[in-house]
Amino acid sequence: MKPILPGAPWLIAHRSMLGVNKPHKITLNGQDYVIWQNQKGELFAIDNICPHMQAPLSDGWICKDRDTIACPFHALEFDGQGRLYRENKKDTQPIIKQLELIVSNDCIWTYAGFEPRLPIPELHQRIVDEYEFIGVTGEKSIQGDFLSNIMVNYDYNHQNGTHKELFRITSCNVTSFEHQGYYATVKQEVKRAKNTLGEIIKNPAMGIIPKTLNNMLEYAFPSTTVVFAESPIGSIAQTHILYPETENRTKTFILFYAKAINPLMKLLFKKSFLSAAATIIEQDSTMIESLYPREKPKIRLPNEEIMFYAEKLYRDW
Ligand code: FES
Ligand SMILES: [Fe+2]
């Protein structure tokens, strides 16, 4: 496939998603890679195709004494630089291509071999400086092209349709939109109707999320959308990550951060907030997966320039 947005920094995983000495498969721009971390937290990433008879290395296992991955087919071993390991010694030359990683605050980034065109967004550093990492949620591979997926994040009119269920959103007003290059901020006011008791029992967060929310969104195109919101459990920074797996599959997950959380509230509501965030992904992806092929819209809604700004960044890349 023709790579999507080559030279963009992609956040392919958070360390907590990898486990220890477990092969983890990543697909980025049509290429499969296997990535793993050892007990010391060192990371390794190489192409996923075994150069012997093309088995997927990610189905194999890690030999932790040697930091190698064993192929599931004939058990040949390769190290994190892609060198064959045989009879207790490593070849000098790699036979598998390595994927270069940049690790920052437990976030694993890559340019996948392309010349960098944008730096890793400093937005992530700002969040980590202020907030505590709570967890990863909503990890999903969505059947839908990257553009459709990213446009949803910049779409201020889908809340009362797509997110009507559970969140009971009745209106979403944009009070400011500013952008500078690939970076943008939006302020929004979201109003919600009351949840039923059944919904609150199903997800207790719905009982404490206010009926009016004044959220701030920050965008670092193309990888990151952060929703900063005030909630009774403290301030949250819900960080939505996207990257293109293939032409018509897009990967997403949410890094959930919070600050000034009362420990009791955290204990009570952590699961519920993570599950509410995962529901947002579920609702967005169900909508995207149901769409007919894109055509020029015959109707315009307010604030759609935010969405078209993102589309323009994508098309002019
Ligand atoms: S296919 Fe990997 S060892 Fe044979
Ligand atoms: Fe959404």
Side-chain angles (χ1 to χ4, degrees):
M1 66 175 273
K2 191 167 163 276
I4 291 163
L5 307 176
W10 298 114
L11 204 179
I12 52 172
H14 185 271
R15 231 183 234 289
S16 63
M17 297 158 81
L18 298 183
V20 174
N21 289 319
K22 287 203 192 94
H24 186 93
K25 184 176 146 191
I26 297 277
T27 306
L28 174 60
N29 265 328
Q31 302 282 328
D32 286 352
Y33 304 95
V34 58
I35 167 167
W36 73 97
Q37 70 180 335
N38 66 14
Q39 55 285 359
K40 288 185 264 171
E42 291 168 314
L43 284 153
F44 309 94
I46 53 176
D47 273 1
N48 200 34
I49 305 176
C50 179
H52 176 222
M53 286 173 72
Q54 292 68 54
L57 293 173
S58 55
D59 287 349
W61 61 94
I62 304 300
C63 307
K64 65 179 196 309
D65 307 330
R66 301 184 283 281
D67 285 328
T68 56
I69 185 162
C71 178
F73 204 169
H74 312 95
L76 286 176
E77 288 177 41
F78 305 93
D79 75 356
Q81 288 170 42
R83 296 175 298 193
L84 178 63
Y85 181 94
R86 250 200 302 216
E87 286 142 20
N88 288 327
K89 65 180 207 312
K90 271 172 194 165
D91 280 2
T92 49
Q93 288 306 315
I95 187 167
I96 304 178
K97 223 166 77 224
Q98 201 180 348
L99 177 68
E100 272 176 53
L101 306 176
I102 301 157
V103 185
S104 167
N105 300 312
D106 294 334
C107 289
I108 303 162
W109 296 82
T110 187
Y111 289 95
F114 291 101
E115 189 66 35
R117 287 192 47 185
L118 285 177
I120 288 169
E122 56 85 40
L123 176 55
H124 287 262
Q125 186 61 46
R126 249 194 296 135
I127 294 170
V128 170
D129 287 344
E130 268 188 62
Y131 292 77
E132 175 198 350
F133 177 67
I134 302 293
V136 178
T137 187
E139 184 180 355
K140 186 158 187 200
S141 174
I142 301 168
Q143 186 71 47
D145 60 272
F146 187 77
L147 182 60
S148 302
N149 274 280
I150 198 165
M151 278 173 77
V152 169
N153 287 352
Y154 292 76
D155 177 348
Y156 285 85
N157 297 295
H158 79 286
Q159 273 77 357
N160 31 356
T162 311
H163 302 303
K164 184 161 102 0
E165 294 298 317
L166 188 64
F167 299 94
R168 297 251 165 262
I169 293 170
T170 52
S171 73
C172 172
N173 290 315
V174 172
T175 53
S176 110
F177 166 48
E178 285 169 22
H179 58 95
Q180 201 178 25
Y182 292 97
Y183 174 77
T185 58
V186 168
K187 288 188 184 136
Q188 67 167 8
E189 188 199 64
V190 179
K191 288 200 188 298
R192 313 195 310 117
K194 263 211 177 98
N195 286 95
T196 62
L197 188 61
E199 286 166 338
I200 295 171
I201 291 169
K202 199 171 143 212
N203 193 316
M206 292 306 126
I208 61 163
I209 295 178
K211 295 292 165 284
T212 301
L213 290 152
N214 286 296
N215 300 337
M216 166 87 172
L217 284 93
E218 293 194 37
Y219 293 97
F221 181 94
S223 62
T224 310
T225 304
V226 188
V227 185
F228 292 96
E230 295 306 320
S231 84
I233 67 161
S235 310
I236 61 170
Q238 189 173 300
T239 307
H240 290 246
I241 304 301
L242 282 180
Y243 66 84
E245 290 191 314
T246 63
E247 255 156 273
N248 44 32
R249 285 204 87 85
T250 305
K251 177 74 170 212
T252 190
F253 54 89
I254 293 175
L255 305 175
F256 203 93
Y257 297 89
K259 72 173 166 186
I261 282 195
N262 166 320
L264 180 67
M265 289 296 257
K266 182 168 144 187
L267 189 73
L268 288 174
F269 286 102
K270 175 180 163 176
K271 241 177 86 190
S272 170
F273 268 78
L274 292 179
S275 125
T279 303
I280 294 176
I281 299 291
E282 217 30 70
Q283 293 173 337
D284 282 331
S285 60
T286 304
M287 187 51 62
I288 289 164
E289 289 177 347
S290 73
L291 296 177
Y292 288 101
R294 183 188 300 279
E295 285 181 31
K296 196 170 161 16
K298 296 192 179 81
I299 305 157
R300 284 294 297 260
L301 286 175
N303 305 123
E304 285 187 331
E305 67 277 11
I306 306 172
M307 196 166 71
F308 295 126
Y309 148 83
E311 183 178 18
K312 190 167 163 27
L313 292 180
Y314 179 90
R315 298 208 188 276
D316 293 350
W317 181 259

